[in-house]
Amino acid sequence: MVGAYCYAELGTMIRQSGADYAYIMETFGPFAAFIRLWIECMIVRPCSQAIVALTFSVYVLKPIFPECQPPDEATRLLAACCILLLTFINCWSVRAATRVQDWFTYAKLLALFIIIAAGLYQLCTGHVEHFTFEGTTNDVTSIALSFYSGLFAYNGWNYLNFIIEELKDPVRNLPRAIAISCTLVTIVYTLTNVAFYTTLSPTEVLGSAAVAVTFAERLFGAFALCIPLFVAASTFGAVNGVLLTSSRLFYAGAAQGQMPAMLTMVSSRATPVPAVLAVALLSLLYLTVSDIQALINYVGFATWLSIGAAVLCLPVLRYTQPNLERPIKVNLFFPILYIICTILVVAFPAVASPAETGVGCLMILTAVPVYLLLLEPRTRLTGLGSLTGAATRLIQKLTLSVRPKTK
């Protein structure tokens, strides 16, 4: 909520699509902006998609393997099929992709409300025996690492800023949308977890690969199969959402000359086929890492580091550009609080899981040679124009795509 409040000022002050990317470009220049763009396009978006696709696979396969974990190969193969199917839908029709998003969002909310209703019934009948702190730890690094998993569920709270140019009356509607959505999601997710603990112990929650399935098996009997189907539907829609929204980020980067021009192109069916294929191929690459927790840690480190840098833009711009129009002006206490929390959330897990943090750092640092060799005028490789031009023409022929008309 604090971060979203800071983004309300940034979004109404710098009204350019791209969100974090646009703010960092304005504040710290093209190099820092490219690192943010690289993190989002090469790590966060495709890695998040791989995580949700793997979760989809687990929930689909769990009823088939009720007494054990689903086979790792089957889980990854089904996740790949999910990504490929949605890639086809997003390449085929924007309308079909938005309909998938709408209907599967309804399925997600319905599943959550069923779980919450069952949990409220359990509360009313006095099932509170699992609401204890027995067996928990007060280790600071463990608590900080747990934030990655907890906050991962709330990913997307800053996505409205990516389409600020398309938002009607952003000064009025952006803070209103942020407040309503963050509040609603927080209440729903908190009540869902409360519902789980009315029936399952903390040990059972931690030991279950599909908590909603275990919860449903305890309470719903013959109707338990409906919950994994609903959850699988919701995760299917979430994978679709990543593919649907990523094209705007690619377009924002390409408009600044920091992404290949081919990624801004659309097919004859008005779908951003090259951008969708790029995200899908990277997601399939991340599926080679089947450990969901490791993937969440990679994404968490990269996400919160870059979002912290975006919030840092707020006090920096107050100092460097005090005359910018600020329809919403946040008290500086909030960005400072958020930056301190970001430092803690990034630093402590780095101590708790140095290997995964090291991999995350290496992923981020790969942006440096790419920028120096391809974008920095003083060190850029010569002779790449003909190569990139040939690659662009090849992609255009393969996908029947052209650059969209601009105003």
Side-chain angles (χ1 to χ4, degrees), residues 1-11 19-20 23 36 40 44-45 147 150-163 174-183 185-186 189 300 303-312 338-339 342:
M1 291 290 282
V2 172
Y5 185 40
C6 296
Y7 265 60
E9 175 175 330
L10 290 166
D20 318 338
Y23 312 147
R36 170 58 183 139
E40 188 74 16
V44 175
R45 292 299 180 99
F147 269 75
L151 291 171
F152 179 80
Y154 294 86
N155 268 2
W157 59 267
N158 59 331
Y159 279 12
L160 190 60
N161 288 59
F162 279 89
I163 56 169
L174 179 63
R176 176 181 290 184
I178 287 172
I180 293 172
S181 60
C182 284
T183 303
V185 169
T186 301
Y189 283 4
T303 298
W304 297 105
L305 189 65
S306 55
I307 292 178
V311 173
L312 180 62
Y338 190 88
I339 291 165
T342 298

Side-chain angles (χ1 to χ4, degrees), residues 364-375:
I364 294 170
L365 290 175
T366 55
V368 177
V370 173
Y371 182 84
L372 293 176
L373 295 176
L374 301 181
L375 297 174

Side-chain angles (χ1 to χ4, degrees), residues 45-57 78-90 97 100-101 104-105 108 152 231-246 276 279-280 283-284 287:
R45 292 299 180 99
C47 200
S48 298
Q49 185 166 276
I51 293 167
V52 182
L54 286 168
T55 306
F56 163 81
S57 300
L78 185 57
C81 291
C82 168
I83 291 172
L84 291 172
L85 174 60
L86 286 170
T87 299
F88 172 77
I89 292 172
N90 277 268
V100 167
Q101 193 64 34
F104 284 92
T105 298
K108 175 180 183 175
F152 179 80
V231 176
S234 77
T235 50
F236 188 80
V239 175
N240 181 71
V242 175
L243 284 168
L244 192 62
T245 59
S246 295
V276 171
V279 178
S283 301
L284 293 172
L287 283 181

Side-chain angles (χ1 to χ4, degrees), residues 26 31 38 44 48 107 143 171 204 207 235 289 295 311 324 340 354 371 392:
E26 178 75 23
F31 177 61
W38 184 263
V44 175
S48 298
I143 294 171
V171 175
E204 289 172 319
T235 50
V289 182
L295 286 174
V311 173
L324 277 176
I340 292 172
Y371 182 84
T392 300

Side-chain angles (χ1 to χ4, degrees), residues 35-254:
I35 292 178
R36 170 58 183 139
L37 183 68
W38 184 263
I39 290 171
E40 188 74 16
C41 292
M42 303 301 293
I43 304 174
V44 175
R45 292 299 180 99
C47 200
S48 298
Q49 185 166 276
I51 293 167
V52 182
L54 286 168
T55 306
F56 163 81
S57 300
V58 169
Y59 272 93
V60 170
L61 294 173
K62 189 61 179 173
I64 304 173
F65 299 92
E67 304 299 328
C68 62
Q69 296 293 338
D72 185 56
E73 293 79 5
T75 303
R76 281 189 280 181
L77 184 60
L78 185 57
C81 291
C82 168
I83 291 172
L84 291 172
L85 174 60
L86 286 170
T87 299
F88 172 77
I89 292 172
N90 277 268
C91 291
W92 180 257
S93 168
V94 173
R95 178 176 292 181
T98 53
R99 285 181 177 175
V100 167
Q101 193 64 34
D102 290 343
W103 285 106
F104 284 92
T105 298
Y106 300 149
K108 175 180 183 175
L109 290 173
L110 181 59
L112 289 170
F113 286 135
I114 291 172
I115 291 171
I116 290 170
L120 291 175
Y121 174 80
Q122 289 286 88
L123 278 179
C124 293
T125 54
H127 290 82
V128 294
E129 62 272 15
H130 299 309
F131 289 92
T132 70
F133 286 95
E134 294 179 8
T136 58
T137 178
N138 57 4
D139 178 56
V140 176
T141 54
S142 297
I143 294 171
L145 195 60
S146 73
F147 269 75
Y148 281 172
S149 296
L151 291 171
F152 179 80
Y154 294 86
N155 268 2
W157 59 267
N158 59 331
Y159 279 12
L160 190 60
N161 288 59
F162 279 89
I163 56 169
I164 191 72
E165 289 179 305
E166 302 169 48
L167 192 65
K168 293 181 180 179
D169 192 3
V171 175
R172 176 174 175 267
N173 291 328
L174 179 63
R176 176 181 290 184
I178 287 172
I180 293 172
S181 60
C182 284
T183 303
L184 179 63
V185 169
T186 301
I187 291 171
V188 169
Y189 283 4
T190 302
L191 290 177
T192 302
N193 279 281
V194 169
F196 287 150
Y197 285 106
T198 61
T199 305
L200 305 174
S201 68
T203 303
E204 289 172 319
V205 171
L206 288 171
S208 174
V211 182
V213 173
T214 308
F215 176 82
E217 288 172 348
R218 294 284 183 86
L219 291 185
F220 299 148
F223 296 100
L225 184 62
C226 68
I227 293 298
L229 291 178
F230 278 129
V231 176
S234 77
T235 50
F236 188 80
V239 175
N240 181 71
V242 175
L243 284 168
L244 192 62
T245 59
S246 295
S247 58
R248 285 185 175 87
L249 183 63
F250 283 116
Y251 182 84

